[in-house]
Amino acid sequence: MSQAQFINRGEQFFVIEGTTRYEGDCVWSRVNESEVISKPAYPVRIFVKSIRRCGLIGLVPLSQAKRLRIARLAKQVLESKEGDGSIELLEGY
């Protein structure tokens, strides 16, 4: 019988739209299938309020509507890359 353990971790993500890079925070877990193999456990949760535009002068705050649009873009891109994973957007966090 194999054992699995969830490890909660806070992480960051980024998404590039055109020539602009956006960063934000998300939470995801990993499950250890063996001593060597570790894979993401879904869902991944993206904190919409954390999203900022990266620029030469640092991170630039965005309006709530812009953050939500970028979060939806990140969700779409990340889900297409992961295949079987799901991503949740947490707007109030």
Side-chain angles (χ1 to χ4, degrees), residues 9-74:
R9 301 175 59 175
E11 297 292 338
Q12 290 186 313
F13 71 95
F14 74 91
V15 63
I16 296 174
E17 182 183 42
T19 59
T20 307
R21 177 181 166 119
Y22 301 92
E23 293 181 356
D25 298 322
C26 62
V27 170
W28 55 279
S29 298
R30 295 192 72 82
V31 60
N32 295 325
E33 293 186 331
S34 70
E35 291 181 16
V36 179
I37 300 173
S38 176
K39 68 176 191 174
Y42 296 97
V44 172
R45 293 175 176 92
I46 291 178
F47 300 105
V48 174
K49 279 187 172 182
S50 73
I51 298 173
R52 302 287 185 264
R53 182 173 60 88
C54 300
L56 295 175
I57 58 171
L59 298 174
V60 179
L62 303 170
S63 69
Q64 177 64 13
K66 180 76 170 186
R67 288 193 303 257
L68 185 56
R69 189 178 71 72
I70 296 302
R72 288 181 177 143
L73 176 62

Side-chain angles (χ1 to χ4, degrees), residues 65-85:
K66 180 76 170 186
R67 288 193 303 257
L68 185 56
R69 189 178 71 72
I70 296 302
R72 288 181 177 143
L73 176 62
K75 172 181 167 51
Q76 179 183 13
V77 172
L78 291 170
E79 284 181 338
S80 69
K81 287 176 63 176
E82 297 298 324
D84 60 348

